[in-house]
Amino acid sequence: MKACVIDAPAPIETNPLRFRDVPRPEPQGNQVLIRVRACGVCRTDLHVIEGELAPRKYPVIPGHQVVGVVEAVEKSAARINPGTRVGVAWLHSTDGVCEYCRAGRENLCDHADFTGYTVDGGYAEYLLADEKFVYALPDAFTDVQAAPLLCAGIIGFRSLRLSGIKPGGRLGFYGFGAAAHLAIQVALHWNAEVYVSTRDERHRRLALDLGARWAGGTLDPPPVPLDAAIVFAPAGEIVPAALKALKKGGTVALAGIYMSPTPPLEYAWLYHERAILSVANNTREDGEQFLKVAAEIPIRTHTEVFPLAEANRALNALKNDAINGAAVLDISLSSDGLAR
Ligand SMILES: [Zn+2]
Ligand SMILES: [Zn+2]
């Protein structure tokens, strides 16, 4: 099969993903073999490729927002029939027995595997998934529309929940990429007001088009005090700005898996029971709840589509703020961009 493979961490500017033939994997145990139709491109893929996440497996095929069709199942995997369209997300599997799993916090599992990081992901024609960790996808979404829901959407949703935002509340977003452009639609559905701070002019326009009350530069103070804020950008210098924008008792949720160092924090910014909280992975329940609400709204995903062979180009564009909404690899496109 064709796949985009990373052999060792390297800056994305060097186009380190190699588009090449690799053996098609064989399902074992609880695994299903999935023929990939579309795979979303996430900032976490950049962190894996550039080595900002501790190296776990090389070579590795990135990609953890996979829409595909079950091609084959191992006989002990009986939950899903061949031919079913499914979604595969970041959480590949958990041990099911550690103290976190037993407490219903599988996102914090001590022995989790992650799609496109510790096991091969969806920048490929096929991948393996654990049948207990794949999602049924609402029919309302095409393959390309559904792909960004599987990480950007789910993590945005978990960030919204952990931010504690209530109906009628005022919520700040810092950064407005794939996750934020989906989370704003859920926040507005919950009748929150959204204020967006981001450095890119096109991202500010998209935020306003989607219903933000205000959009300003990254460190511009929002025009009203915020009940909660979510920092989507991986830049630690934003944390003080977000804290200072909060009302007493407010929470700043940090949605990324990686962030550059935060500058020293003055206790006065944090005092009055403000909180800073990171968002780590997601539970399957988050995924199921989000996909349900996404279909109810229904969420509209803004996507920029690339052929599989051009994953390097998609990731360079993502790094340079040149993607409005979410980048998606459409596996049905040949490398010249034409449908196969
Ligand atoms: Zn566990
Ligand atoms: Zn992701």
Side-chain angles (χ1 to χ4, degrees), residues 29-336:
N30 289 328
Q31 289 177 328
V32 292
L33 176 69
I34 294 168
R35 184 161 45 81
V36 181
R37 287 181 171 174
C39 184
V41 174
C42 177
R43 188 167 284 275
T44 298
D45 303 337
L46 262 183
H47 298 316
V48 170
I49 292 164
E50 298 197 316
E52 285 151 341
L53 297 186
R56 293 278 296 271
K57 173 188 187 295
Y58 289 105
V60 67
I61 301 170
H64 57 270
Q65 306 187 87
V66 187
V67 177
V69 174
V70 174
E71 181 99 349
V73 299
E74 252 305 292
K75 50 183 175 301
S76 57
R79 197 182 130 223
I80 304 166
N81 296 320
T84 309
R85 186 175 79 143
V86 294
V88 181
W90 172 245
L91 191 63
H92 173 85
S93 63
T94 58
D95 61 10
V97 298
C98 75
E99 66 172 290
Y100 301 102
C101 286
R102 283 186 281 119
R105 305 175 78 189
E106 66 181 1
N107 61 306
L108 302 178
C109 176
D110 281 331
H111 303 102
D113 269 308
F114 300 105
T115 314
Y117 177 37
T118 67
V119 299
D120 284 332
Y123 287 19
E125 291 179 316
Y126 294 87
L127 90 163
L128 297 176
D130 182 322
E131 67 154 1
K132 298 190 300 300
F133 286 79
V134 303
Y135 294 93
L137 292 174
D139 290 335
F141 299 104
T142 66
D143 300 330
V144 165
Q145 288 169 341
L149 304 177
L150 289 159
C151 179
I154 294 172
I155 295 296
F157 179 75
R158 184 170 177 87
S159 304
L160 283 172
R161 284 211 295 111
L162 295 189
S163 78
I165 190 66
K166 301 277 191 305
R170 290 167 167 171
L171 177 64
F173 281 2
Y174 291 81
F176 201 78
H181 101 282
L182 301 176
I184 190 174
Q185 299 179 57
V186 179
L188 296 176
H189 182 67
W190 290 348
N191 293 315
E193 294 175 9
V194 179
Y195 297 80
V196 174
S197 304
T198 186
R199 64 186 174 187
D200 187 83
E201 169 59 31
R202 284 161 309 166
H203 293 178
R204 290 199 287 269
R205 268 206 307 276
L206 179 59
L208 293 170
D209 285 349
L210 288 171
R213 288 285 172 112
W214 169 90
T218 309
L219 301 177
D220 295 348
V224 294
L226 302 174
D227 295 292
I230 303 174
V231 180
F232 292 100
E237 70 265 21
I238 294 173
V239 176
L243 261 185
K244 285 188 257 184
L246 283 187
K247 290 185 200 168
K248 290 184 267 193
T251 295
V252 177
L254 310 179
I257 194 167
Y258 167 84
M259 181 175 260
S260 61
T262 52
L265 296 177
E266 285 189 28
Y267 189 60
W269 304 339
L270 192 59
Y271 190 61
H272 287 119
E273 303 193 344
R274 295 179 181 90
I276 303 174
L277 179 79
S278 69
V279 178
N281 314 316
N282 66 275
T283 64
R284 282 170 281 181
E285 193 181 358
D286 291 324
E288 277 151 22
Q289 286 181 2
F290 168 69
L291 290 168
K292 186 162 174 283
V293 78
E296 278 166 15
I297 292 175
I299 276 189
R300 287 183 51 230
T301 52
H302 292 246
T303 55
E304 294 194 24
V305 176
F306 297 81
L308 173 61
E310 296 189 19
N312 282 309
R313 190 162 67 82
L315 284 155
N316 274 286
L318 177 63
K319 190 171 181 180
N320 293 313
D321 289 343
I323 301 290
N324 223 10
V328 177
L329 305 177
D330 183 340
I331 312 303
S332 69
L333 295 178
S334 62
S335 52
D336 55 12

